[in-house]
Amino acid sequence: METIEAENRDAHPDLLRRVRGKTVAVDLSIWIFEATSQPELAEIFTPAGQVARLVFDRACNLLRHGVVPVGVLDGIPPPEKLRRLGLLTAAGAGGGEFKRLGAVASKVLAALGLRAVAAPSEAEATCAALNARGLVDACATSDGDALLFGATTVFKTLKLYADTPEPVSYTHLRAHETRGNLVCRLLLE
């Protein structure tokens, strides 16, 4: 089991060596929360626009550094958690507006040629299961429960600085049409 803090900018070269060429399950609930918690984005974008922008920027940044993200969306929380949060239904936790914003995040990833999966319950549990089964190399979530769910490598903060990407070798650039928009996908070697 390994946890890695990525806030230290001096540790960036070491972090890049560890993640380059890897596939990382990303807890999208964290990204959605962070997107909708930025007042400067709220002045310009709707909540859906905030999520689309943040997911696009972060996914592109990860790809630029040779990391392939797999988005994981929250499902319905377990009944114990709903009771603890004082919610009678899942509409406020994994449902309603949050579910709609998750669909936006999923569409952005799909437009980039990336996958998003819906967790049956909590996203960090599915991230951990994907990691434990070797389907992804690591998890990116600030939720420490991922370790309890069996994750072997967790990045509490996976911050790859946009101003310092190293060259990444691409097999080829493929363009395809999706709903009238030309989308270019970079396929990593």
Side-chain angles (χ1 to χ4, degrees), residues 76-90 93:
I76 304 298
E80 305 80 38
K81 185 172 185 177
L82 289 174
R83 278 194 298 276
R84 190 173 68 242
L85 295 173
L87 300 171
L88 298 176
T89 69

Side-chain angles (χ1 to χ4, degrees), residues 6 18 27 35 46 57 62 64 68 88 90 103-104 112 115 117 119 123 129 138 147 149 153-154 163 166 182 187:
R18 299 174 102 173
D27 181 345
T46 63
D57 287 348
L62 290 173
R64 188 178 304 124
V68 178
L88 298 176
V104 170
L112 292 169
R115 296 196 52 145
V117 297
L147 295 169
F149 289 123
T153 303
V154 176
D163 61 341
E166 296 176 14
L182 183 64
L187 302 175

Side-chain angles (χ1 to χ4, degrees), residues 97-155:
E97 177 71 359
F98 194 84
K99 186 172 186 166
R100 188 179 72 78
L101 295 175
V104 170
S106 184
K107 284 181 184 178
V108 170
L109 292 175
L112 292 169
L114 300 169
R115 296 196 52 145
V117 297
S121 185
E122 298 184 73
E124 69 275 10
T126 298
C127 288
L130 292 169
N131 185 220
R133 290 186 176 101
L135 299 172
V136 298
D137 300 298
C139 304
T141 180
S142 60
D143 194 326
D145 286 351
L147 295 169
L148 297 175
F149 289 123
T152 57
T153 303
V154 176
F155 294 98

Side-chain angles (χ1 to χ4, degrees), residues 26-89:
V26 176
D27 181 345
L28 288 177
S29 63
I30 307 297
W31 284 10
I32 292 167
F33 174 77
E34 290 172 350
T36 56
S37 299
Q38 296 181 24
E40 43 305 327
L41 285 182
E43 292 176 12
I44 302 167
F45 297 104
T46 63
Q50 291 172 278
V51 169
R53 181 178 186 276
L54 185 136
V55 170
F56 179 83
D57 287 348
R58 290 190 180 174
C60 286
N61 190 47
L62 290 173
L63 288 169
R64 188 178 304 124
H65 286 89
V67 179
V68 178
V70 174
V72 181
L73 296 159
D74 268 329
I76 304 298
E80 305 80 38
K81 185 172 185 177
L82 289 174
R83 278 194 298 276
R84 190 173 68 242
L85 295 173
L87 300 171
L88 298 176
T89 69

Side-chain angles (χ1 to χ4, degrees), residues 4-16 157-161 164:
I4 301 168
E5 295 275 349
E7 287 288 337
N8 181 355
R9 192 173 180 100
D10 294 332
H12 194 249
D14 181 52
L15 177 63
L16 275 176
T157 305
L158 183 56
K159 185 180 262 184
L160 299 176
Y161 295 95
T164 58

